[in-house]
Amino acid sequence: MARRTFSIGGVHPNDAKISRDCKIETLPTPPVVYIAVAQHIGAPAKPVVAVGDKVKAGQVIAEPGGFMSAYIHSSVSGTVKSIGPRKDLSGNNQTVVEIAVEGDEWMEGIDRTDTLITEIPQDPKEIIEKIKLGGVVGLGGATFPTHVKLSPPPGKKCEMLIINGCECEPYLTSDFRTLLEKGEQVVIGTAIIKKALGVDKATIAIEDNKPEAIEHITKVVEGLKAKSADYAGIEVLSLMKKYPEGGEKQLIDAVMHRQVKSGGLPIDVGAVVDNVCTALAVYEAVQKNKPLVDNSVTVTGECFPHQANLLVRVGTPLNYIIDYLGGVPENAAKVISGGPMMGKAIANLEAATLKGTGGLLFLTREQTKRMPDSSCIRCGKCADACPMGLEPFLLNRLAKAGNTEALEENAVQDCIMCGCCLYSCPAGIPLLDVISQARGQIMGIMKARAAAAKAAAEAAKAKTE
Amino acid sequence: MLVSPNPHLHSKTTTAVLMRDVVIALLPAVIVSVVFYGWKELLVLAVSVLSCVLVEYLITRYCLKKASTIGDWSAIVTGILLALNLPTTTPWWVVFIGALVAIGVAKMTFGGLGQNVFNPALVGRVFLLISFPTYMTHWEIPQGLFGVDAISGATPLGVIKEGLMQGASVPELMAQHGYSYSQMLFANIGGSAGEACAIAILVGFIYLVARKVIKPWITLSILGTVAAVSCIFWLANPAQFTDPLFNLLTGGLLLGSCFMATDYVTSPMTTKGGIIFGIGIGFITLMIRYFGSYPEGMSFAILIMNSTVPLLNNWFHQKKYGRA
């Protein structure tokens, strides 16, 4: 049988999952945590604690700052030392709540035992409220507030829930380990999200370079289906290993053979996509009353001597994690937050983890070196690689010419920044660098145009009234 | 610590790797041509490759005052292709002029690799064909590496064209000269070195496709068009028109469709554009063969279609995700 995958583009980097056999280990609590109030897409949360307050682990320290926002909880027990700006991993100031750790006292009502609760609540409203109170956000990278995603706008109907277990980024293994070690929780979380959406079908999609995970989750799903009708309709789907399979748009194409229109949302084609770690966070928030205060982080790289998958409290300083594993190796030239294709190079190792931090990757200069760029030989490899069907060579040329009209016409705004073009260019042309800048510019122009059109329509309306 | 935008990894396939793969793919044809035509062919190859590399080096270093680009292997590819397009008997200085035109005029004046509109090796060849017709139409029947007396003669395409003009029919001419398809497939027909052995060229082509250096669509489109169109003519009048197999196996059709039409720089970026490009090449080649004054039209057909590439790139785009 042909291996199923998305239909346009994609590349096959060496998946280098060298930390795949490392069990998730709990990192000791650091002496101090720095919890950012903006850890999600949308409005930053508003702090509700003051300097000097005693807080417990799991206590709300910031409330949603708008509709598109999320609760932030303390990940430790201790005293609030300061609330103010601190440099994030790029070196930009962000508001953080600094908490000095004292003991490990948790809020009452939080169940931290391993006891599985397979019986799920039946009321979607109750589920979504619990997810909101748990501060759950998407852990696949975008950190979209989950309770917002699970409340589709009126008129839009979800037909399929897709749980994203692709982990198509090379090196990262925290999703894989979560599937193996907390498979039951992930599947129960899936059933809960399915219930909240009122949808019949859910697909847990896993790339076929993780056969153990596919086998394990299939078994877990079968076991739970035998127990309760709540698990009917959950299927496990094996997908061909190809980057960027875990991209939301690509995954919908691979699983449902549908494509989200440019500028549209997955729900437009009846899909909701959540990461496996999000499903786990949903399980913990709904079944165990435990808010999202810790997440698993892969620490890896060929030059890094101690591969690990760690369960880390949100707000742990990155250098605390690295020192725990023996410090930055001498030959590491770049430390990346996330995977090597879409992750961010870290400028400031004193920055702290966020809810969405999934990996710390160490690369040597040799591994991450860019070739000096030479002439485009028009091989078309960038266009073959682009999972959005764009023509990066053309966008690059148009961007250099400053032709904004043609850039928009050739859909630069559809770029998902996956890096396939730059990865595959034999001439080493910094395609994505140029394209992402042009994309920002075009999106700005489109936004301004939409705002102007809206203002004009309102003015016309006011005039007629 | 280094800080730069994503992606942080890069594929190991560089321009030099791709061009080296093309050289490897040309090796079977090179080896077969040397085995069949002997040391003289080796001389043509050596002069051609060395001249191409030298001309590019001198132009980049001393005219453009830039870093030399010979490390990307593309001049070597041009050199081999030019040599395979010339008769074994071509004098060394004619080969050098061909290289000078190919690299100096067709490639470097446009700005070097990636900028040229026309395939450099073909421009070199056509320049020589028009400037030195005597050298360029004086073919040798392969006598092997140790053959002593070279027999010169015309290529099958030339023989047929000549014969038809004198009123003979195709089947008569085929029988008279004893042309067989197995001969054409495995070498031993007159022609430029690279035209001699179909199998060697196909082996190289399969290597390039398997290594994902090129996609097969342009080549298949040319071969399909030639087969289909010549089939119609042949069925209509077998006395006047040669059959599809003869057209596929003779002249520069295979070398051209596998190695020259698929040149990245001078072919369309998209598969759709490539198929139109191939249909054009196949059709023009056959029209020149059937109705033109030259016996062979592959070089002209590719060069003509090279000039349509910017247009084809404008007309044909990839299918974009989520857009009609």
Side-chain angles (χ1 to χ4, degrees):
Chain A
M1 205 184 80
R3 294 155 79 202
R4 205 144 131 195
T5 185
F6 54 99
S7 60
I8 303 174
V11 293
H12 298 273
N14 173 13
D15 67 354
K17 307 266 187 194
I18 45 182
S19 54
R20 72 198 320 271
D21 294 327
C22 306
K23 284 214 168 86
I24 297 176
E25 184 191 338
T26 304
L27 180 78
T29 314
V32 58
V33 294
Y34 303 92
I35 303 173
V37 297
Q39 308 202 22
H40 43 261
I41 284 186
K46 282 190 223 120
V48 291
V49 288
V51 175
D53 282 5
K54 296 269 178 204
V55 293
K56 292 180 183 171
Q59 184 179 332
V60 170
I61 55 170
E63 285 180 342
F67 170 69
M68 180 80 97
S69 188
Y71 279 101
I72 308 275
H73 303 78
S74 175
S75 60
V76 294
S77 63
T79 310
V80 176
K81 284 283 167 195
S82 72
I83 300 170
R86 189 167 187 273
K87 286 192 167 35
D88 69 3
L89 55 85
S90 300
N92 301 325
N93 276 330
Q94 304 285 353
T95 304
V96 301
V97 177
E98 177 188 2
I99 301 168
V101 178
E102 293 148 12
D104 192 22
E105 210 182 317
W106 286 68
M107 290 292 284
E108 265 172 54
I110 294 176
D111 176 2
R112 295 177 63 221
T113 61
D114 288 335
T115 327
L116 272 184
I117 307 173
T118 57
E119 207 172 301
I120 64 169
Q122 300 296 314
D123 177 21
K125 279 212 181 90
E126 179 197 337
I127 294 172
I128 291 171
E129 189 56 26
K130 277 191 162 172
I131 289 173
K132 184 178 175 183
L133 290 174
V136 181
V137 299
L139 298 178
T143 59
F144 193 95
T146 303
H147 68 276
V148 179
K149 197 184 249 186
L150 298 187
S151 323
K156 302 257 164 90
K157 176 96 180 85
C158 178
E159 292 167 50
M160 162 116 53
L161 166 68
I162 302 173
I163 297 297
N164 185 353
C166 293
E167 202 165 49
C168 60
E169 275 270 11
Y171 290 98
L172 301 188
T173 54
S174 56
D175 287 0
F176 170 66
R177 290 312 309 182
T178 301
L179 283 169
L180 279 192
E181 295 174 35
K182 295 181 179 166
E184 286 85 359
Q185 289 88 328
V186 169
V187 176
I188 298 167
T190 305
I192 295 170
I193 302 173
K194 191 168 140 288
K195 183 66 77 182
L197 287 164
V199 54
D200 302 328
K201 284 188 289 184
T203 300
I204 303 174
I206 306 172
E207 280 194 344
D208 56 12
N209 60 345
K210 296 178 265 294
E212 309 95 313
I214 296 173
E215 196 183 328
H216 178 64
I217 295 296
T218 309
K219 238 184 252 161
V220 168
V221 169
E222 273 165 22
L224 286 168
K225 269 182 181 168
K227 259 190 193 162
S228 158
D230 290 330
Y231 298 92
I234 300 180
E235 303 294 336
V236 180
L237 179 65
S238 160
L239 294 174
M240 173 180 160
K241 180 198 107 117
K242 187 164 82 175
Y243 177 84
E245 190 118 60
E248 200 168 53
K249 292 187 163 113
Q250 282 62 42
L251 191 56
I252 292 169
D253 185 22
V255 174
M256 299 172 76
H257 305 297
R258 292 182 191 175
Q259 297 187 346
V260 183
K261 287 219 158 36
S262 175
L265 290 171
I267 193 73
D268 297 339
V269 293
V272 167
V273 183
D274 274 313
N275 185 269
V276 288
C277 288
T278 315
L280 171 65
V282 164
Y283 167 84
E284 290 187 334
V286 176
Q287 304 291 77
K288 314 284 271 186
N289 229 355
K290 183 184 162 215
L292 179 49
V293 292
D294 53 19
N295 59 319
S296 47
V297 177
T298 304
V299 190
T300 185
E302 278 89 353
C303 62
F304 194 69
H306 308 287
Q307 314 296 322
N309 294 293
L310 298 175
L311 189 67
V312 175
R313 302 275 176 109
V314 170
T316 302
L318 298 177
N319 48 14
Y320 178 81
I321 302 175
I322 298 166
D323 289 344
Y324 174 76
L325 294 169
V328 179
E330 228 164 75
N331 55 344
K334 208 186 231 182
V335 190
I336 293 153
S337 166
M341 296 300 284
M342 283 192 81
K344 226 173 179 172
I346 300 172
N348 172 26
L349 284 177
E350 284 173 11
T353 62
L354 306 171
K355 291 174 181 175
T357 304
L360 283 177
L361 169 62
F362 296 85
L363 293 177
T364 61
R365 185 170 285 272
E366 198 47 48
Q367 283 176 303
T368 189
K369 186 173 72 180
R370 282 203 185 173
M371 285 189 287
D373 62 322
S374 53
S375 305
C376 171
I377 56 168
R378 309 190 191 200
C379 60
K381 292 206 182 290
C382 55
D384 288 343
C386 180
M388 296 305 288
L390 310 181
E391 289 159 62
F393 65 92
L394 178 65
L395 298 175
N396 179 55
R397 211 163 59 213
L398 294 171
K400 284 192 169 152
N403 189 342
T404 51
E405 223 166 87
L407 277 167
E408 191 181 336
E409 214 169 278
N410 286 286
V412 72
Q413 63 275 18
D414 287 4
C415 171
I416 57 167
M417 315 274 283
C418 64
C420 287
C421 53
L422 207 163
Y423 172 83
S424 58
C425 178
I429 298 168
L431 292 163
L432 183 61
D433 299 1
V434 177
I435 290 169
S436 65
Q437 216 166 17
R439 172 182 180 262
Q441 189 195 357
I442 299 303
M443 284 177 136
I445 292 174
M446 290 172 71
K447 226 177 179 175
R449 196 168 52 210
K454 202 176 160 193
E458 267 165 22
K461 203 176 158 198
K463 218 174 181 183
T464 52
E465 277 166 8
Chain B
M1 286 290 135
L2 285 177
V3 180
S4 62
N6 70 311
H8 306 287
L9 290 181
H10 200 285
S11 146
K12 301 272 179 291
T13 309
T14 62
T15 302
V17 169
L18 292 171
M19 294 296 161
R20 202 172 58 210
D21 264 339
V22 178
V23 171
I24 293 170
L26 281 166
L27 281 182
V30 167
I31 292 167
V32 166
S33 71
V34 172
V35 167
F36 282 124
Y37 289 97
W39 62 271
K40 276 197 230 159
E41 175 58 23
L42 205 57
L43 191 73
V44 172
L45 273 160
V47 172
S48 178
V49 171
L50 288 177
S51 314
C52 283
V53 172
L54 184 72
V55 170
E56 178 156 331
Y57 179 77
L58 292 177
I59 291 178
T60 45
R61 291 292 285 123
Y62 297 103
C63 298
L64 303 174
K65 303 209 188 321
K66 289 198 297 194
S68 156
T69 50
I70 55 173
D72 66 20
W73 287 66
S74 65
I76 299 172
V77 172
T78 302
I80 296 175
L81 284 174
L82 178 66
L84 291 182
N85 267 291
L86 300 177
T88 319
T89 47
T90 318
W92 69 268
W93 58 272
V94 173
V95 178
F96 177 76
I97 293 174
L100 193 65
V101 172
I103 298 290
V105 178
K107 185 176 175 187
M108 300 316 292
T109 48
F110 286 87
L113 181 66
Q115 312 295 320
N116 49 300
V117 179
F118 299 101
N119 183 304
L122 280 180
V123 172
R125 177 187 188 254
V126 168
F127 178 84
L128 295 183
L129 181 66
I130 294 168
S131 313
F132 306 99
T134 16
Y135 294 124
M136 292 297 290
T137 49
H138 179 84
W139 306 98
E140 203 164 273
I141 307 291
Q143 294 299 306
L145 198 49
F146 307 105
V148 190
D149 300 315
I151 306 167
S152 44
T155 65
L157 279 171
V159 168
I160 301 280
K161 179 129 259 172
E162 192 93 343
L164 283 172
M165 288 206 281
Q166 284 159 10
S169 78
V170 174
E172 277 169 26
L173 290 164
M174 296 280 279
Q176 189 189 331
H177 291 267
Y179 293 137
S180 77
Y181 295 120
S182 63
Q183 216 182 6
M184 294 170 195
L185 207 53
F186 296 104
N188 258 346
I189 50 169
S192 66
E195 300 173 0
C197 177
I199 292 285
I201 293 168
L202 288 176
V203 167
F205 172 69
I206 291 166
Y207 173 80
L208 285 186
V209 173
R211 291 270 299 161
K212 298 204 169 129
V213 175
I214 58 169
K215 282 185 264 182
W217 311 119
I218 294 177
T219 308
L220 294 180
S221 156
I222 297 174
L223 300 182
T225 306
V226 167
V229 176
S230 63
C231 194
I232 296 168
F233 278 94
W234 175 62
L235 287 175
N237 186 355
Q240 188 65 31
F241 298 107
T242 46
D243 64 88
L245 205 53
F246 179 86
N247 277 301
L248 288 176
L249 293 177
T250 51
L253 193 87
L254 278 178
L255 184 68
S257 57
C258 296
F259 288 99
M260 323 270 269
T262 52
D263 170 24
Y264 287 147
V265 180
T266 56
S267 64
M269 301 290 271
T270 58
T271 302
K272 268 185 262 173
I275 289 171
I276 304 292
F277 179 73
I279 292 174
I281 291 173
F283 187 76
I284 296 171
T285 302
L286 216 51
M287 289 305 107
I288 295 176
R289 283 185 179 185
Y290 280 164
F291 304 110
S293 55
Y294 280 98
E296 171 60 319
M298 193 64 188
S299 309
F300 294 110
I302 295 176
L303 290 176
I304 290 168
M305 290 310 290
N306 280 165
S307 67
T308 68
V309 166
L311 212 54
L312 291 174
N313 282 341
N314 244 339
W315 284 344
F316 298 101
H317 290 277
Q318 300 218 106
K319 188 183 171 328
K320 292 184 176 63
Y321 179 101
R323 283 172 186 259

